[in-house]
Amino acid sequence: MNPPNIIISGGGTGGHIFPAISIANAIKEIVPESKILFVGAEGRMEMTRVPEAGYSIVGLPVKGFNRKNILKNISVLFDLWKSMQKARKIIKEYKPDIAIGVGGYASGPTLKEANKLGIPTLLQEQNSYAGVTNKLLAQKATAICVAYENMEKFFPAEKIILTGNPVRQGLVVSEEKQQTGYAHFGLDPSKKTILIVGGSLGARTINQSVLKSLNLLKDADIQVIWQTGKYYYGNLKDALDKNAVSSVKMMDFISRMDLAYSVADLIISRAGAGSISEFCLVGKPVILVPSPNVAEDHQTKNALALVKKDAAVLIKDGEAEEKLIETALTIIHDNDRLRVLGNNILKLAQRDSAKRIAEKVLEIINLNK
C-alpha cells in the first residue's frame, strides 16, 4: 500500500489545534511515511502552532459569522465562497485518502468539498454539545469520534465511536513525579495544594475570584499554584506582592503541567473539553467554572456531564467571586469528598484516544482502497 495522503482541518483555539496535532502524531507513529497536510483559517493560531509541531499548513480566508451585526456577514459569505473554491483546489491537487475535521472555521469548507469529491471524512467532536460545523458535516461523514456518551442527539448513532479527546503526552501521576513536582514549584509536601488554571491565556473571572480572596488563602493552611495567563500576570503579581501571600506560587504559564497535576489535591479550572479529558486521566478532584463566552454555552454542558456523575463541582461564572475560593477551601479539607470526586472522574477517563482515532483513520483508508 502507498503511504496515505491525509488532510486535517480545523482550529481557531488550542482546544481544536492540540487534538489535531496529537492525531497527526499518532498516525505518523503507526505509518511513519504518511503525508499529512493541515488546512486552517488565515490569521488564526493554527497558522503558527502547526508548523511549530513540524507539519505543513495552508490557510483559508474563512471567518466566523457576526451575530451582532448582520450586515458585516456579506464579506463573511464572500470569504466562505472563496474558501470553498480554495479548499476544492487543495483537495484536487493533494488527492487525500481521507479528510479529518476537528471543528473550527476551516473544517467546514474543507470537509464539505472533500465530501463532494467522494473523499471519506472523519469528524472529531471534543465537546458534550456538538459544534455547528460538525453537526452540518455529520450526515456525510464516514465516522465521528466523540469524547462523551449520549451524542446520538447530534449525530447518526451508527457512525459514533467513543474515543475520548487526545491530550498532551506524559500525563502520568506517580509518587516520584509528585516529589519532583514539590521541588519544582518550591512547595511543602506536608500541605494540601490547590492548582488554579484558566487555560493558556488565563481566565478573568477565576483570576478576579482569587484576587478577591487573597486574605482567605493567606490564612488557610494550604498552598496554591496559580497560572494567571500572560495578559493578567503583571497586575496580579503586584497585588500578590502587596498582600505578601507567600503560600501562593504565581506564574503566567505552567510548562510542566504534568508536575502541577501530580502535586494538586484539588484543581480549579474552566471547562474546556481538552482540560476535562486531562483531569479524567489524572483522576483529580476539580471545581469547574465554565466560560460564558463560548459558542452555545458548551463549557457549561461539558461541566454538567461530569456533575451528573458526581465527578466535578460546578460554580457559575457570575457566582465565582463570592463562592469559588470559599468552596475550594471547604472541599480541600474534606478528605471523603476529595476521594469521591477523584474516583468518579477517573472512571470517565478514555485512554490512548489519539491512537484509537489514528487506527480508525487508517482502517477507513484501507477499506476505501
Side-chain angles (χ1 to χ4, degrees):
M1 179 182 135
N2 291 331
N5 269 9
I6 295 164
I7 279 179
I8 302 179
S9 185
T13 66
H16 291 308
I17 299 160
F18 188 81
I21 292 168
S22 292
I23 293 165
N25 291 344
I27 291 167
K28 283 278 198 185
E29 267 184 41
I30 301 169
V31 185
E33 57 277 20
S34 302
K35 293 174 189 149
I36 299 173
L37 176 71
F38 280 75
V39 180
E42 288 170 3
R44 304 293 290 189
M45 70 194 270
E46 59 263 27
M47 300 308 290
T48 52
R49 291 291 166 88
V50 168
E52 282 169 10
Y55 294 99
S56 301
I57 186 164
V58 185
L60 303 180
V62 66
K63 293 182 185 73
F65 279 93
N66 189 319
R67 295 175 193 194
K68 290 177 184 166
N69 187 336
I70 303 300
L71 290 175
K72 285 192 176 171
N73 288 322
I74 295 167
S75 66
V76 172
L77 288 168
F78 182 60
D79 286 335
L80 179 61
W81 179 79
K82 280 198 297 185
S83 298
M84 301 287 277
Q85 304 304 308
K86 191 170 179 182
R88 189 174 185 83
K89 189 167 178 279
I90 292 165
I91 291 163
K92 282 188 162 180
E93 285 174 6
Y94 190 71
K95 298 185 175 63
D97 296 299
I98 192 168
I100 302 166
V102 294
Y105 303 144
S107 65
T110 309
L111 269 75
K112 199 162 177 48
E113 290 303 320
N115 283 327
K116 282 187 199 168
L117 293 164
I119 310 289
T121 57
L122 177 140
L123 303 178
Q124 199 257 327
E125 175 55 62
Q126 291 111 22
N127 293 294
S128 65
Y129 190 89
V132 175
T133 304
N134 278 351
K135 281 193 279 190
L136 291 171
L137 295 167
Q139 292 309 118
K140 297 276 178 73
T142 308
I144 304 162
C145 296
V146 301
Y148 290 87
E149 294 169 349
N150 306 316
M151 295 300 281
E152 298 81 10
K153 53 183 181 278
F154 305 112
F155 303 131
E158 69 280 5
K159 295 182 180 185
I160 295 172
I161 306 156
L162 183 64
T163 57
N165 283 321
V167 298
R168 72 190 95 198
Q169 304 306 302
L171 287 184
V172 181
V173 174
S174 65
E175 204 163 312
E176 189 185 342
K177 265 206 175 163
Q178 194 177 47
Q179 296 315 312
T180 307
Y182 286 130
H184 179 82
F185 293 107
L187 297 171
D188 178 351
S190 68
K191 286 188 175 180
K192 293 260 182 85
T193 306
I194 299 177
L195 169 63
I196 302 171
V197 288
S200 54
L201 300 176
R204 187 176 172 277
T205 300
I206 292 176
N207 286 338
Q208 285 296 116
S209 305
V210 180
L211 189 60
K212 198 171 175 182
S213 303
L214 281 178
N215 285 336
L216 276 178
L217 291 171
K218 194 176 181 178
D219 297 337
D221 187 27
I222 58 143
Q223 53 204 355
V224 175
I225 304 170
W226 181 14
Q227 176 180 282
T228 62
K230 61 182 179 187
Y231 298 131
Y232 305 100
Y233 180 76
N235 291 337
L236 293 170
K237 183 82 172 75
D238 292 342
L240 192 69
D241 292 344
K242 198 168 152 189
N243 283 275
V245 190
S246 59
S247 59
V248 176
K249 309 288 177 186
M250 179 198 278
M251 52 213 73
D252 63 340
F253 181 73
I254 299 170
S255 56
R256 290 298 306 270
M257 194 56 84
D258 58 329
L259 296 181
Y261 286 151
S262 289
V263 298
D265 296 286
L266 177 67
I267 299 168
I268 293 171
S269 172
R270 286 301 200 193
S275 298
I276 286 178
S277 295
E278 293 188 352
F279 304 149
C280 294
L281 280 172
V282 295
K284 294 285 179 167
V286 62
I287 299 174
L288 298 169
V289 185
S291 169
N293 311 311
V294 292
E296 283 129 349
D297 197 23
H298 68 247
Q299 285 204 3
T300 297
K301 288 153 185 147
N302 290 348
L304 286 170
L306 271 70
V307 170
K308 281 174 191 162
K309 299 191 173 183
D310 199 20
V313 172
L314 187 157
I315 294 206
K316 290 178 184 172
D317 190 86
E319 297 175 352
E321 284 191 29
E322 297 304 320
K323 291 184 177 176
L324 180 59
I325 298 304
E326 212 170 276
T327 304
L329 292 173
T330 302
I331 292 172
I332 203 159
H333 291 303
D334 184 343
N335 288 333
D336 290 339
R337 186 79 186 114
L338 287 176
R339 191 163 49 250
V340 168
L341 287 168
N343 288 342
N344 286 346
I345 200 167
L346 190 61
K347 288 175 194 166
L348 304 178
Q350 292 284 340
R351 302 187 185 280
D352 301 319
S353 299
K355 185 183 174 203
R356 285 154 64 193
I357 295 167
E359 285 169 350
K360 187 66 191 175
V361 167
L362 296 168
E363 180 193 310
I364 291 167
I365 292 171
N366 285 335
L367 285 171
N368 208 47
K369 289 195 168 175

